Amino acid sequence: MKLVLEVSTGEEAIVREWDGKVLSIGRSPHSDVQLFGPGVAEHHVRIIADGDGLRLECPMNTSVVMNDETVRKAKLSVGNSFYIDSHKVSIMASGDSAITAKVRILQYDDVSKIPTATTPDNISARSTKSRKRLWSYGLLAVGLLVSLVLPMLSSFDSKAKLVFEEYGLPSDTIWTSGDLASAHNIPGIANECKVCHESPFVSVRDSVCLTCHQELPAHGNNDIHMQVGEDPRKCLSCHKEHNEPSTLVHTDNAFCTDCHADVMDWADNKKSLPPVLGFSAKGHPEFKLQYLTPQNTATGVDWQNITHGTSEMLAESSNLKFPHDLHLGGDKVQRDDGNALECSDCHSLDKNGEHFVPITMDRSCRSCHALEFDIQAKGRELHHGEPELVLQQLTEYFALQYADPALRAEREQDSRRLPTIASMSAVDRDSCKGNAIDCARKAALLEAETQFERTGCAVCHMITKDESKPLADRWHVEPIQLQDNWYNARFDHTVHMVGDEKSETAMCITCHKADVSSASADVLIPGIGKCVQCHTDAREAVTKKQVSSSCIDCHSFHIPGKPMMLDAYLGRLHD
């Protein structure tokens, strides 16, 4: 958008054209328009294009006065005006169709009110102000003595501090706004202010925090939060010490919803975040799930997270065949003790209680799905995870079987037994009358067809066959990739494993409908409708008798995968 900016102090005016996406006004030297005054914040207000008009937005802890009301967000049109401290900002017509508007910033709302004329009224007013100024200077001196000189003296002289405390005089303890958080209330920190406060009247620097917290990973996304006025260089912008109650982490929703209550668009990465007012069916958008989707590349398959809303509920592309209902029913699949399987027989929580230990063939499947292939070799199994070696393994095995006359005779005797459907190929292979090498190759091919097309591998895997390729590459087993993190949020399964259900599986299926799922493509992750049955925003929990849930119960400002805190800090120093 293009604007004409006119900044006037009452005596002179500077007029210039401006072209950009967001006009920033504040005390910061990096602002597009820099203003001064006790009521002007470093990043006070932003003016943004809104359709054919404009809108203003104030970051946290700032506001403007518009139509005698304090506002943080409002639409602007020609003729509107608002105040920042003593500065009046007016939106005026530009007279040029290529320019959106003219923004006039005036120190006073009326230039004639500037007290420059030497009149009796002005002289009387100045005399009154002089007397008030003397009282102000006196009170300032007393305040400095009590709050600065004496505490500073006690800070450098321990004996003086004892004397001050004995006679009730102020010492450096008045500078402490509250107790330390329990994490910092330890020897070496609790009684040593200089450990964190390197210089008087200077905020604690990030470098001081990182002397201890250098191994903490995943700092927040600075590129995004700079756009809303958050200082990316200060730990103190989120973690404040000496507060009551003593905590280092913001737990109130307002810390998030001050910005996220409106739709947020990021032009740089073309992302849009819907408004969030709190955790409730109306105040929180529908969940989004991360679907692992295979993408074919020149070097193989690249699995990428593709985000979709839970209202879509697409099929999972894991390449696995697995009916949950069959395994949980107890009719066809049981434990060794004859009881039905429980969810935990395959799904084991990891130490953090949030995710599950990855499911593998050896840990979760082999006890029931052994890869035995020859009734005469109990316990001998095929390679798993290496389909290209299966033909080689089968050929080597059967070559020995047919080369040894005793083993061959025994195999021919067994071939006269009535076979099952799964062992039909065994009849053909075991009755082979050719030489050992030819019979071994034939037996290997027949058994491979059985494993890849009817039983064995084909039970759980998606397999394609290409007759035009060499025998070793004829069958392609699609790689399996199971999603282990559907939500980009935290969820503690441990605290949710409670209730009146009689079994562990009964508790699981209250949220995950595995008992009626006949295919692994079914996504068994619930949407927000299930969660709000028990959880809601703190403002509603009192009346609904539900669990009060805040933003940080599920969301973290620190993002997994980011560099270590110290590395990120050093990187900023070199930028």
Side-chain angles (χ1 to χ4, degrees), residues 80-92:
N80 290 147
S81 62
F82 59 89
Y83 287 86
I84 305 173
D85 196 28
S86 61
H87 306 273
K88 181 180 181 181
V89 182
S90 302
I91 309 300
M92 309 169 67

Side-chain angles (χ1 to χ4, degrees), residues 234-250:
K234 292 184 178 180
C235 302
L236 296 178
S237 60
C238 295
H239 306 287
K240 300 184 183 297
E241 258 292 11
H242 301 292
N243 279 327
E244 296 291 347
S246 179
T247 178
L248 286 173
V249 181
H250 281 279

Side-chain angles (χ1 to χ4, degrees), residues 409-430:
E410 181 181 352
R411 183 169 298 279
E412 291 176 353
Q413 179 68 27
D414 288 339
S415 68
R416 299 188 183 96
R417 299 171 184 169
L418 183 64
T420 62
I421 295 177
S423 63
M424 286 296 290
S425 62
V427 176
D428 295 331
R429 77 181 185 209
D430 293 343

